[in-house]
Amino acid sequence: EERYNQRPTTSQKLHAIDQSLGQEYDNAWQTLHQTNQDPTRSPMFLIREVERRLLDHFAPETEVRKYNSLAANEKVTGRHKIDYLKSIIKPSAQSAFLAQEQALNDIYGLLSKAHTPGQLDVEKTRAFLYQADALIQLLLDSF
């Protein structure tokens, strides 16, 4: 219930970063509550994209490459981005961010289970969405 009550604030912050980012977030939750068949698949794709774009916003590739001393031919990974973010988040958010570091690294893969053929386990995938929502809030509150 608390997470549900925080959605308007999260949406507003995402809209401030980029209108389409906020729209994707809003669409994910609207779709989850309006779809009867396979209700979590589309929201998982949308929230995964919000998560990716938010990481790109706070951890631009050029800064991540520089921070991690990556060669031009090396791929920037989510782990590289999280490492970079740890270096720039506000001090008051450090402990919460570090406590969720593994979840931040894992969430993209969990949301990618939307690619799984056949029926998804709605309760399990709904939990992925709620976890992603909490991590989006954490990212927004860390800067």
Side-chain angles (χ1 to χ4, degrees):
E1 187 176 320
E2 179 184 341
R3 178 84 31 233
Y4 177 80
N5 291 334
Q6 291 177 338
R7 282 193 195 135
T9 303
T10 301
S11 174
Q12 198 172 33
K13 289 178 180 179
L14 291 169
H15 277 280
I17 292 170
D18 183 312
Q19 270 307 97
S20 65
L21 190 59
Q23 289 168 346
E24 282 182 312
Y25 179 82
D26 294 341
N27 286 339
W29 294 110
Q30 289 170 0
T31 303
L32 177 66
H33 299 297
Q34 293 175 354
T35 306
N36 292 327
Q37 294 183 328
D38 205 8
T40 57
R41 191 176 309 272
S42 291
M44 288 172 69
F45 284 126
L46 289 166
I47 290 292
R48 184 182 71 168
E49 184 64 8
V50 169
E51 190 86 23
R52 185 197 63 76
R53 290 181 58 200
L54 199 55
L55 283 176
D56 288 349
H57 173 76
F58 288 121
E61 187 172 324
T62 54
E63 297 300 316
V64 173
R65 283 188 175 288
K66 192 180 337 176
Y67 178 79
N68 288 284
S69 302
L70 297 175
N73 64 340
E74 287 183 86
K75 181 182 178 194
V76 173
T77 66
R79 191 165 302 279
H80 290 128
K81 291 178 183 184
I82 300 300
D83 286 343
Y84 170 75
L85 291 176
K86 289 189 302 188
S87 74
I88 63 166
I89 60 173
K90 62 185 178 185
S92 61
Q94 272 294 335
S95 63
F97 192 89
L98 293 174
Q100 294 300 318
E101 180 179 359
Q102 189 59 48
L104 284 161
N105 281 311
D106 292 345
I107 195 64
Y108 192 84
L110 293 173
L111 293 171
S112 291
K113 291 183 184 289
H115 287 289
T116 305
Q119 190 67 32
L120 297 174
D121 179 329
V122 174
E123 291 308 310
K124 184 184 278 188
T125 53
R126 194 179 297 255
F128 298 157
L129 290 167
Y130 294 143
Q131 181 181 15
D133 192 34
L135 293 171
I136 288 168
Q137 178 100 39
L138 174 67
L139 283 170
L140 291 170
D141 291 345
S142 295
F143 298 94

